[in-house]
Amino acid sequence: MAKTKQQPEDTNVVSLKTLTKSSVWDVQENDVVRMLDSGIKDADIRENLRHYIDLIRSAFEILDIKEDVNTVKKAYEKKGYKVFTLKIEDKKLSWGIKKKPILRVTDLTYENIRHISANKLLEVIERNFGGGWDSLAQSVQDIILSGFDISTTTLPKDRLHKKGGMYEKKVDDGFEVLEIPKGNWVEAIFAKLKPEQEKPKMKFDSDEDDKALDDDEDFEVQDDYKNHDDEDDAVEDPDDDQITEDNYSTMMDLGSEDPDDEAAQLSDYVDE
């Protein structure tokens, strides 16, 4: 009789215990429902459920639906929420969950910056009152630069697309571009997702310390990779009356509770 070959375990499957504040941005509402439904059977997860709910809420809106009736549930579904029921011991909780949108520059974080495309990033920047790269707060620039290679240039509109120029070279190199008109000049912002870098591993003296690192968010090393000239630092938004073809600028490469007690408290906990 032929033996059935055992399939190797898929180590890439995300569960509540492997979820981080970064990887949570890769999952969708149905994934969260699945993880909660299967994970709640684990006693360790039940005892630390607040921790996992906080982690999920870093990327999702979670609402407690107190009225367990179809009309109320359908109203939340029309608003984009995934409505589901979570059973904890003898308790049943109805929740609505929806992924947080990234619409404004203030929605960008170190955790989600690598989970959006260059096109999406430039759409978000464009919504920032059309002010261009220098209009962004330094903290926002730092977040963006942690995940993307950014270059900018400001040129007269009739020179921006000059054959063999910076614009053509950047596009050929895989950069997406946002053009922001400024009178007779145009600021071009080029963006490309940085390649994933292997994160350094740290050694600890005890297993408890190793567990503490695993429970925390991803360890990252930030580099000061913004390199540009002093001349670029002094550049202000172009003014048609003051700027000539000789003084335009280019900037390159910016650089433990009882489980039953815990279940009873969750309904109040997820309220807005």
Side-chain angles (χ1 to χ4, degrees):
M1 186 175 182
K3 294 183 179 180
T4 303
K5 185 177 181 180
Q6 186 175 2
Q7 295 296 324
E9 183 180 353
D10 187 353
T11 57
N12 293 321
V13 175
V14 180
S15 67
L16 286 179
K17 288 188 175 181
T18 61
L19 205 61
T20 67
K21 286 185 178 180
S22 176
S23 66
V24 70
W25 286 95
D26 283 329
V27 302
Q28 302 303 321
E29 290 85 353
N30 286 335
D31 300 315
V32 174
V33 174
R34 172 187 58 79
M35 288 188 289
L36 285 171
D37 187 55
S38 60
I40 205 66
K41 300 169 187 175
D42 187 314
D44 180 61
I45 289 179
R46 288 199 305 272
E47 291 175 3
N48 297 280
L49 194 54
R50 283 179 181 270
H51 162 74
Y52 296 109
I53 295 299
D54 280 340
L55 195 158
I56 293 170
R57 290 189 70 168
S58 66
F60 290 85
E61 298 174 12
I62 303 179
L63 298 179
D64 180 25
I65 303 176
K66 297 183 183 297
E67 297 181 65
D68 191 12
V69 293
N70 286 335
T71 54
V72 175
K73 290 180 178 179
K74 287 182 178 180
Y76 281 108
E77 287 174 349
K78 287 183 178 179
K79 294 180 180 180
Y81 286 88
K82 169 73 176 178
V83 177
F84 65 103
T85 300
L86 187 66
K87 186 176 180 180
I88 308 177
E89 301 295 341
D90 59 343
K91 306 287 183 181
K92 282 188 176 181
L93 302 175
S94 292
W95 287 352
I97 184 170
K98 181 172 68 171
K99 192 76 165 282
K100 289 181 179 178
I102 301 175
L103 300 175
R104 300 174 297 274
V105 293
T106 51
D107 295 327
L108 299 173
T109 67
Y110 283 108
E111 287 77 24
N112 67 27
I113 190 62
R114 291 193 58 84
H115 300 277
I116 62 174
S117 66
N119 271 328
K120 176 66 175 178
L121 171 66
L122 294 178
E123 287 177 9
V124 173
I125 294 177
E126 188 174 21
R127 292 193 189 101
N128 192 50
F129 310 108
W133 178 258
D134 288 337
S135 71
L136 301 176
Q138 185 63 52
S139 58
V140 173
Q141 291 185 10
D142 289 343
I143 290 172
I144 294 172
L145 289 168
S146 71
F148 287 84
D149 286 321
I150 299 291
S151 299
T152 73
T153 185
T154 302
L155 291 169
K157 62 175 61 175
D158 59 348
R159 297 190 57 184
L160 182 62
H161 296 273
K162 183 179 179 181
K163 187 173 179 60
M166 177 180 179
Y167 190 104
E168 184 179 281
K169 291 177 181 178
K170 285 293 183 182
V171 171
D172 288 345
D173 196 27
F175 282 79
E176 300 295 334
V177 60
L178 169 65
E179 296 181 29
I180 302 177
K182 296 186 174 183
N184 292 324
W185 295 63
V186 177
E187 177 180 359
I189 302 176
F190 305 93
K192 183 170 74 171
L193 189 66
K194 288 183 176 179
E196 190 76 46
Q197 294 183 350
E198 184 178 353
K199 296 172 183 176
K201 296 180 180 180
M202 299 180 67
K203 294 184 178 180
F204 293 87
D205 294 333
S206 68
D207 293 338
E208 292 183 0
D209 288 336
D210 288 333
K211 184 177 184 303
L213 180 61
D214 291 338
D215 290 341
D216 201 356
E217 60 185 273
D218 292 346
F219 179 82
E220 298 184 4
V221 175
Q222 301 293 331
D223 293 325
D224 183 13
Y225 36 69
K226 295 205 309 178
N227 291 314
H228 52 87
D229 300 340
D230 292 339
E231 177 181 307
D232 292 328
D233 290 335
V235 173
E236 299 180 352
D237 289 340
D239 184 310
D240 289 343
D241 295 329
Q242 298 177 2
I243 298 179
T244 68
E245 185 174 343
D246 295 327
N247 64 10
Y248 70 85
S249 68
T250 297
M251 182 271 285
M252 288 284 292
D253 295 328
L254 299 171
S256 130
E257 295 186 7
D258 183 271
D260 292 335
D261 293 339
E262 182 73 27
Q265 296 171 9
L266 281 176
S267 180
D268 293 332
Y269 177 67
V270 298
D271 281 339
E272 290 288 319

